[in-house]
Amino acid sequence: MDNTNSNSPQQAKLFDTDVIDFTQYFNTIMRYFWRILGLSVFLTILAMLFAYSITPKYNSTVSLLIESEQANVLSIEEVYGLDSSRKEYFQTQYEILRSKQIARRVVERLDLHNNEFFNRDVILENKSALASSVDSIKAGVKSLLPFLPQKEVKEYTEEQLLEGRIKYATSLLKRSITVSPVKSTQVVNITVQTPSAGLSAKLANTVADVYIESYLQAKLDMTEKATTWLNQSLQGLRSKLDASERSLALFYETEKVVDIDGVVGLASDKVQQLSNQLISSQVVLQRNQAIYEQVNTPGVSMQDLATIPEVLNHPSIQSVKRDEVLAESRISELKETYGPKHPNMIAANAELSSIRTSLMNQINNLVSGITNEYRTARQKVASLTQEVEEAKASFRSLSALDNRRKTLQRDVDTNQQLYNSFFTRLKETDQLGGFESANARVLDAATPPGSAAKPRKGMIIAAAFVVSFGFGCFLALMLEALNSGIRSVDDVERKLSQRMLGIIPWQPHKKKQDLALRHFFDPKHHMFSESVRTLRTSLQLLNIDKPSQTILVTSSVPKEGKSTVAVNLAFALGQLNKVLLIDADLRRPAIAKRFGLPGFQPGLANAVSGTHSLNECIVKDEESNVDILGAGTLPPTPQELLASSKFAELMLKLRGEYDHIIVDSAPTQAVSDAIVVSKLCDSLVYVVRSDSTSAKVIKNGLSRFIQIGHRIDGIVLNQVDLKKAKKSGGYEGFYDQYGYNSYDATQGEANSSGKA
């Protein structure tokens, strides 16, 4: 027998689970279509009833133009502090329109708190039963939980009750007002929504009127306040101005000054002149002092004095020096002609001596003059220094006096300017009191609407149907995703990674009863017979090179119909060959009972244990030409019996006598009997009940065979509801080619499900 895993689907996925299969989604929705439609219709009817139970609301809109630049006769913006050219100005106006102040004025003007739609008492009386029940439950819960803050019962006066009704109506009206600016314009739409068309229009127009009147009233109030404040401020400013003027006049009278600016200027010029003279005298003194210190140096000779630049460069000294040079030149010339005692030489030497004597006298006189110049310069610097200090002191005194005068004059000028400014503003404000220009005007007044804005019944009903239908589709897909059962070929291949050998359609029959034993041979149920024959053909084609002689039929859990599949597969194979049907389920056998064999009939357990011969244990079914080997007497240890060598020898012997042996084994999830028996079988047919057993349980059973290396020929999907399958299209290729998907043959049967 071939127990290899080659070319088995369990080793490779046939479908990529990452690919979205829209066809599968569509088939799922079609399978649940009528339930989805029923849910949609039910929810739509509820939505329709809800829509028609809602009190209709009417919208009425008034268009208001808010001026960005007002007709300013005077400087009104400065009085109110408003800048109408800024974006914040319009945002502020929108918030004013939404304010409680505007809403309250509308309520008071129209006596809205007594209107049935805004009266708190009327609204509470007409509250729905559901809302009243909720309030009662809340009150009951609070009374049962004393630790929660309890509402104290208070007695209110008539004024307090009236104020409460006005506040309640104001709150309702504020929520009913919608302010919608028109983009890129100065137009704003004010919409009011109430249960009355006429009331909505009236309220919208009243809101616009109250807003405009509120602005004008605020303008008048600000004007009055500004006038009062300016009058009070002017009195104080007048007093300050008079006091400052008196202080300035007293200053002039006390200091006896007329033109103090000119006096300060003269003093400043005098200080500047004396400073310049002092600087010049100091320069002369420094120069004379240097010469004086040189000529009065102790031990200095006349020759040294003569070399001093200041002495040498003196005009008188330079003249004598020139005469000395000329005399020396003459003597040099005479020496070449005359001797020392020649009269001309004597006269020339005498002249040179006289010149040198004169030079010494001139140097002495010059030194005496330098000393006198130094002393004179020093005296002059001292005198000028004293005069400069006196001039500076006088200038500082005059400057301080001028600063006092300027301070007093500045106080007078400042008070005069403030007084003039406030006086002018007071006159402007007085003029504003008689000029009223609104910042807004009505473009289009509100009119009663012809139809309600809410509820939009058609849209609610349509939306309810669309949403409920989508919700139904979502639920169907969720149920499909949460469903772990196997219901189609795609599930077999995708969830179990196995091939589909065939499907056995669900057959109507009475509950708690097995399907009739000879159902396969009933011409009325040809669809069932053909499904079994298709299973037979699949097995034959699957093992065409090496036909399977022993075929094991098992399942994951009981009640999946494995025994029914085994019996009917034996019937199908019995029409072609010699077949033996073995009941290897030694725990809960069913084959003998179905064929009506007596309880004492020996079977497989007796043949293996040797208590009866094989011929005594095998019973031939004449109608189907199939031999039956029942379970026989149930042993205490079934698995040890099946795992024994005697059972293997028995199976080997039976192979030589029959063309096909069908073995019905116990479910894999409960015991391991099928694992033991599978080692002696060529093929393994795994029966799965449609849309019942979870894929996890099935995969767990299949994995036990894969672990021991046994090939699984495929899955037989049992008890398939073909009526549902026709909608989902999950079995194309099995029953659609010859009209076997027709469900006519099953009409009129009992509409109950059971084990096929």
Side-chain angles (χ1 to χ4, degrees):
M1 51 189 160
D2 185 7
N3 289 340
T4 63
N5 270 343
S6 60
N7 301 323
S8 60
Q10 59 264 32
Q11 298 299 320
K13 294 287 185 181
L14 298 180
F15 288 87
D16 186 0
T17 57
D18 294 335
V19 178
I20 298 177
D21 189 354
F22 290 102
T23 303
Q24 181 184 354
Y25 294 158
F26 177 76
N27 291 336
T28 300
I29 293 173
M30 292 305 298
R31 186 163 58 253
Y32 289 92
F33 177 77
W34 291 110
R35 278 176 278 183
I36 294 173
L37 185 62
L39 175 65
S40 303
V41 171
F42 174 73
L43 294 179
T44 303
I45 292 174
L46 290 181
M48 181 174 63
L49 295 175
F50 174 75
Y52 279 94
S53 66
I54 298 175
T55 303
K57 298 293 183 68
Y58 296 88
N59 286 350
S60 189
T61 302
V62 59
S63 296
L64 202 64
L65 173 62
I66 299 178
E67 303 285 354
S68 61
E69 295 182 359
Q70 304 167 19
N72 295 325
V73 176
L74 298 172
S75 182
I76 186 172
E77 291 93 343
E78 298 180 7
V79 176
Y80 298 114
L82 298 176
D83 184 2
S84 60
S85 63
R86 299 184 62 182
K87 180 180 179 182
E88 290 80 0
Y89 170 78
F90 292 100
Q91 295 295 335
T92 302
Q93 301 310 309
Y94 303 152
E95 292 303 320
I96 291 174
L97 285 168
R98 300 186 185 100
S99 66
K100 287 185 178 180
Q101 182 185 22
I102 299 295
R104 184 182 179 96
R105 290 185 179 181
V106 173
V107 169
E108 292 174 347
R109 174 175 296 187
L110 300 179
D111 197 25
L112 207 60
H113 54 280
N114 291 324
N115 186 282
E116 60 176 329
F117 300 119
F118 291 88
N119 188 289
R120 180 177 58 185
D121 298 333
V122 174
I123 293 174
L124 292 177
E125 288 177 2
N126 297 332
K127 185 181 291 187
S128 64
L130 178 61
S132 301
S133 301
V134 172
D135 293 341
S136 301
I137 293 173
K138 288 182 179 179
V141 171
K142 277 193 173 182
S143 63
L144 293 175
L145 302 175
F147 56 86
L148 293 178
Q150 303 294 326
K151 187 176 181 180
E152 298 181 2
V153 179
K154 296 182 180 179
E155 293 184 0
Y156 297 97
T157 63
E158 289 296 330
E159 292 76 9
Q160 291 175 332
L161 292 175
L162 177 61
E163 180 65 20
R165 288 196 298 269
I166 292 176
K167 286 183 178 180
Y168 184 81
T170 301
S171 177
L172 287 183
L173 178 60
K174 189 174 181 295
R175 291 198 298 267
S176 302
I177 297 174
T178 303
V179 179
S180 306
V182 180
K183 188 176 182 181
S184 303
T185 68
Q186 296 171 205
V187 178
V188 58
N189 293 326
I190 304 172
T191 303
V192 178
Q193 185 180 90
T194 68
S196 171
L199 182 61
S200 296
K202 186 176 182 180
L203 287 175
N205 291 325
T206 305
V207 168
D209 294 340
V210 167
Y211 166 72
I212 296 173
E213 293 172 4
S214 174
Y215 177 82
L216 294 175
Q217 185 62 43
K219 215 162 121 179
L220 292 175
D221 294 342
M222 290 296 294
T223 301
E224 292 177 0
K225 290 181 180 179
T227 302
T228 302
W229 180 76
L230 288 173
N231 280 323
Q232 294 174 353
S233 300
L234 274 176
Q235 295 177 3
L237 290 175
R238 180 73 260 181
S239 300
K240 289 183 180 179
L241 179 59
D242 293 341
S244 61
E245 288 177 344
R246 285 195 300 271
S247 298
L248 183 60
L250 181 62
F251 170 78
Y252 279 112
E253 184 179 353
T254 303
E255 299 299 335
K256 307 296 182 182
V257 293
V258 178
D259 185 12
I260 193 170
D261 291 334
V263 176
V264 173
L266 291 174
S268 176
D269 293 341
K270 184 178 180 181
V271 171
Q272 185 65 36
Q273 291 175 2
L274 290 174
S275 297
N276 292 336
Q277 292 177 10
L278 177 60
I279 292 172
S280 300
S281 299
Q282 287 175 343
V283 172
V284 173
L285 177 60
Q286 290 176 357
R287 184 173 63 251
N288 291 337
Q289 184 178 2
I291 299 172
Y292 174 79
E293 290 176 354
Q294 288 180 355
V295 299
N296 288 285
T297 303
V300 66
S301 62
M302 284 296 177
Q303 288 76 14
D304 295 332
L305 293 175
T307 59
I308 297 174
E310 286 76 6
V311 175
L312 188 62
N313 294 328
H314 197 273
S316 60
I317 301 301
Q318 288 181 351
S319 177
V320 176
K321 277 288 186 181
R322 283 195 298 271
D323 294 340
E324 183 182 12
V325 172
L326 291 175
E328 288 177 350
S329 177
R330 189 179 301 112
I331 291 173
S332 297
E333 292 176 355
L334 291 175
K335 279 183 180 182
E336 294 178 358
T337 305
Y338 304 104
K341 295 182 178 182
H342 191 275
N344 289 337
M345 285 294 294
I346 294 172
N349 288 326
E351 182 181 4
L352 178 60
S353 298
S354 176
I355 291 172
R356 287 178 176 175
T357 301
S358 177
L359 178 61
M360 293 296 109
N361 292 332
Q362 289 291 338
I363 291 173
N364 286 329
N365 292 334
L366 183 59
V367 171
S368 298
I370 289 173
T371 302
N372 292 332
E373 288 181 2
Y374 168 69
R375 290 173 180 172
T376 301
R378 188 172 61 183
Q379 292 176 356
K380 186 177 181 181
V381 167
S383 176
L384 287 173
T385 300
Q386 184 178 359
E387 291 180 4
V388 167
E389 292 298 329
E390 292 176 355
K392 286 182 177 180
S394 177
F395 177 75
R396 284 194 294 269
S397 177
L398 290 173
S399 296
L401 197 64
D402 186 48
N403 288 336
R404 285 180 56 199
R405 193 267 308 173
K406 288 181 178 179
T407 300
L408 294 173
Q409 185 65 48
R410 186 166 54 249
D411 290 342
V412 172
D413 294 341
T414 301
N415 291 330
Q416 185 66 51
Q417 290 176 0
L418 286 173
Y419 180 80
N420 293 339
S421 176
F422 273 64
F423 186 77
T424 302
R425 188 56 50 82
L426 178 61
K427 294 300 182 183
E428 292 178 355
T429 306
D430 289 340
Q431 294 298 323
L432 288 174
F435 178 78
E436 297 181 0
S437 63
N439 70 328
R441 57 189 174 90
V442 176
L443 288 181
D444 295 319
T447 58
S451 59
K454 290 182 180 180
R456 301 175 66 178
K457 299 181 178 67
M459 180 172 290
I460 291 176
I461 294 172
F465 180 78
V466 172
V467 172
S468 59
F469 190 85
F471 180 69
C473 293
F474 172 76
L475 286 180
L477 295 176
M478 286 298 296
L479 289 174
E480 183 70 12
L482 295 175
N483 182 18
S484 60
I486 306 299
R487 61 171 58 173
S488 66
V489 179
D490 179 67
D491 287 346
V492 171
E493 296 173 338
R494 180 169 51 87
K495 295 182 180 180
L496 304 180
S497 301
Q498 298 292 333
R499 67 171 60 87
M500 174 75 86
L501 285 178
I503 66 171
I504 306 299
W506 176 79
Q507 299 295 297
H509 59 282
K510 294 181 179 181
K511 291 183 178 181
K512 298 182 180 181
Q513 289 187 6
D514 295 330
L515 192 66
L517 179 64
R518 310 297 176 179
H519 197 78
F520 176 80
F521 301 103
D522 191 346
K524 297 180 181 180
H525 306 292
H526 65 280
M527 183 174 57
F528 177 80
S529 304
E530 289 300 328
S531 66
V532 179
R533 294 189 183 98
T534 301
L535 172 60
R536 178 190 65 188
T537 304
S538 298
L539 285 171
Q540 291 175 339
L541 294 177
L542 184 64
N543 303 289
I544 193 169
D545 294 332
K546 186 179 180 181
S548 299
Q549 189 174 7
T550 55
I551 302 172
L552 175 65
V553 180
T554 187
S555 63
S556 300
V557 293
K559 302 298 182 181
E560 290 199 80
K562 63 175 181 60
S563 298
T564 299
V565 172
V567 169
N568 287 278
L569 180 59
F571 288 163
L573 290 172
Q575 293 178 336
L576 303 177
N577 305 104
K578 186 178 181 181
V579 176
L580 173 64
L581 175 61
I582 300 177
D583 189 355
D585 187 354
L586 302 182
R587 302 174 190 272
R588 296 179 61 184
I591 301 298
K593 182 179 179 181
R594 291 199 177 190
F595 280 91
L597 299 180
F600 55 83
Q601 174 65 38
L604 178 62
N606 303 95
V608 173
S609 60
T611 59
H612 295 75
S613 64
L614 184 59
N615 292 331
E616 292 176 333
C617 297
I618 295 177
V619 178
K620 186 173 185 61
D621 182 42
E622 298 296 339
E623 185 175 348
S624 62
N625 197 31
V626 173
D627 290 347
I628 310 299
L629 179 57
T633 304
L634 299 183
T637 54
Q639 193 171 121
E640 284 77 359
L641 182 68
L642 295 174
S644 65
S645 58
K646 292 184 178 181
F647 177 70
E649 293 173 358
L650 176 63
M651 290 296 294
L652 182 61
K653 180 179 180 181
L654 293 174
R655 279 174 173 272
E657 299 180 5
Y658 293 92
D659 297 321
H660 295 286
I661 302 174
I662 309 300
V663 181
D664 179 21
S665 180
T668 60
Q669 192 69 17
V671 291
S672 301
D673 295 1
I675 308 299
V676 176
V677 176
S678 66
K679 298 178 181 179
L680 303 175
C681 298
D682 302 327
S683 295
L684 173 60
V685 175
Y686 206 90
V687 178
V688 174
R689 183 176 178 179
S690 175
D691 203 13
S692 176
T693 311
S694 68
K696 183 177 181 181
V697 174
I698 299 171
K699 291 175 70 175
N700 184 41
L702 293 173
S703 65
R704 302 181 70 179
F705 292 103
I706 295 174
Q707 289 173 0
I708 65 172
H710 199 290
R711 188 185 73 175
I712 301 171
D713 286 27
I715 303 296
V716 174
L717 201 58
N718 192 26
Q719 302 184 36
V720 176
D721 190 342
L722 292 182
K723 186 176 181 180
K724 296 180 180 179
K726 182 179 180 181
K727 299 176 184 178
S728 63
Y731 305 101
E732 287 86 349
F734 285 90
Y735 292 98
D736 55 344
Q737 294 183 7
Y738 300 101
Y740 293 139
N741 203 22
S742 173
Y743 200 68
D744 295 339
T746 64
Q747 298 299 322
E749 300 287 345
N751 190 20
S752 61
S753 61
K755 186 175 70 173

